[in-house]
Amino acid sequence: MNDTIDFKASKPDPRVWMFLVVIISFLTVLCGSRLELFILFAALAVIMTWQKMLATVIYFVAFYTALLVLNEFLWLISIPPVSMVVGMLVLLLFRLMPVYMAYIILLEKTSINELIIALEQMHIPKMLIIPLAVVYRYIPTVKYEILYIKDSLKMRGLNPSLTGMFLQPVTTVEKFMIPLLIRSGKLADELSAAALCKGLDAEHPRTSCTGVRFEQKDAVCCVICAVAAGTLIFLHYYPGFGHLVL
């Protein structure tokens, strides 16, 4: 009789979210019209809602709406140098937002241990798994470091908000970027050491308390993503669709 307990891993499988990140990254490069980018944004908002990430969805919807308002404002008030620079920045944010949303889903719904197990089951070399594991934890850690630096600047009488950037741009950037760069280097070393202490470079396969398995439901999710991506690519090359605007 088998007395081992097979704790269920988070679902969908981490490989589903990794596949989603790859698909979204490819589509944002290929599909460049506002309508296509909006379709990607709406699809990821639906996925976030399905995963009960309502607060994150509200944040991205508000940010996306602000970008739309800003873009329309630039069309009404045409100042050639400013409109060109800000317009390029807005377009860049429109392109990067779906990729960032897909990464947020992967980050929030996948633990680092399950991600490593999934990568090992895919026979990914450890020389790639270790850097990926460090980067996976690096961005959330830097986010908290930014909050700590903001609190430190407020204690020293500097305003790290957008208002402070306009009033004291050079001083604020200097006081903000230097601590962030120094802490970033230290954080990279600390996360690398923590990864090695957890045995990521060990020759023997890692064990997991949760049963990380790619099941039929996960395959269905990947097929749905692939079909949706194929449909969007087909519509992109369909005459007239790629040039539509909202």
Side-chain angles (χ1 to χ4, degrees):
M1 182 177 178
N2 188 5
D3 295 331
T4 60
I5 301 176
D6 185 16
F7 294 99
K8 191 174 183 62
S10 59
K11 285 296 175 182
D13 188 82
R15 280 157 284 197
V16 175
W17 301 130
M18 287 188 285
F19 183 71
L20 179 65
V21 172
V22 173
I23 289 293
I24 294 298
S25 301
F26 174 75
L27 291 177
T28 52
V29 174
L30 179 64
C31 305
S33 72
R34 290 176 59 186
L35 177 59
E36 292 167 335
L37 294 175
F38 175 76
I39 291 174
L40 293 178
F41 171 81
L44 289 168
V46 171
I47 294 175
M48 284 184 168
T49 304
W50 170 46
Q51 291 296 311
K52 300 179 181 180
M53 302 170 63
L54 296 179
T56 308
V57 172
I58 294 173
Y59 169 81
F60 277 108
V61 169
F63 186 68
Y64 192 90
T65 304
L67 289 179
L68 288 176
V69 172
L70 177 60
N71 191 54
E72 294 300 326
F73 181 76
L74 292 175
W75 278 100
L76 294 176
I77 303 178
S78 179
I79 305 176
V82 177
S83 299
M84 183 180 65
V85 174
V86 178
M88 292 178 61
L89 179 60
V90 170
L91 179 60
L92 178 63
L93 291 175
F94 275 132
R95 282 185 173 272
L96 293 180
M97 192 179 301
V99 180
Y100 183 63
M101 293 173 70
Y103 173 75
I104 289 295
I105 297 174
L106 173 65
L107 188 67
E108 293 291 334
K109 297 300 176 179
T110 304
S111 66
I112 182 63
N113 182 62
E114 293 179 4
L115 180 64
I116 293 174
I117 296 298
L119 292 173
E120 289 182 347
Q121 291 177 355
M122 296 169 62
H123 303 288
I124 303 297
K126 288 189 175 181
M127 65 177 59
L128 295 178
I129 294 179
I130 295 177
L132 285 174
V134 174
V135 172
Y136 185 82
R137 294 305 308 161
Y138 182 79
I139 296 178
T141 306
V142 169
K143 181 179 70 173
Y144 290 109
E145 290 296 326
I146 291 176
L147 297 177
Y148 299 151
I149 294 174
K150 286 184 176 180
D151 292 338
S152 178
L153 290 178
K154 290 179 181 179
M155 294 175 62
R156 287 165 173 78
L158 293 174
N159 187 3
S161 63
L162 292 177
T163 304
M165 289 290 294
F166 283 111
L167 295 178
Q168 300 174 307
V170 177
T171 304
T172 304
V173 170
E174 178 185 0
K175 300 298 183 181
F176 184 82
M177 292 303 297
I178 292 177
L180 182 61
L181 291 175
I182 294 176
R183 284 297 302 162
S184 297
K186 292 183 178 180
L187 285 174
D189 294 336
E190 293 173 0
L191 290 174
S192 299
L196 295 177
C197 290
K198 292 181 179 180
L200 292 184
D201 61 336
E203 297 180 358
H204 302 285
R206 287 172 54 87
T207 58
S208 176
C209 294
T210 57
V212 181
R213 294 184 300 273
F214 191 82
E215 299 176 344
Q216 184 177 2
K217 294 181 180 180
D218 303 317
V220 171
C221 292
C222 290
V223 170
I224 293 175
C225 291
V227 171
T231 303
L232 188 59
I233 293 173
F234 172 77
L235 294 175
H236 173 75
Y237 288 104
Y238 187 79
F241 180 83
H243 301 286
L244 292 176
V245 294
L246 294 176

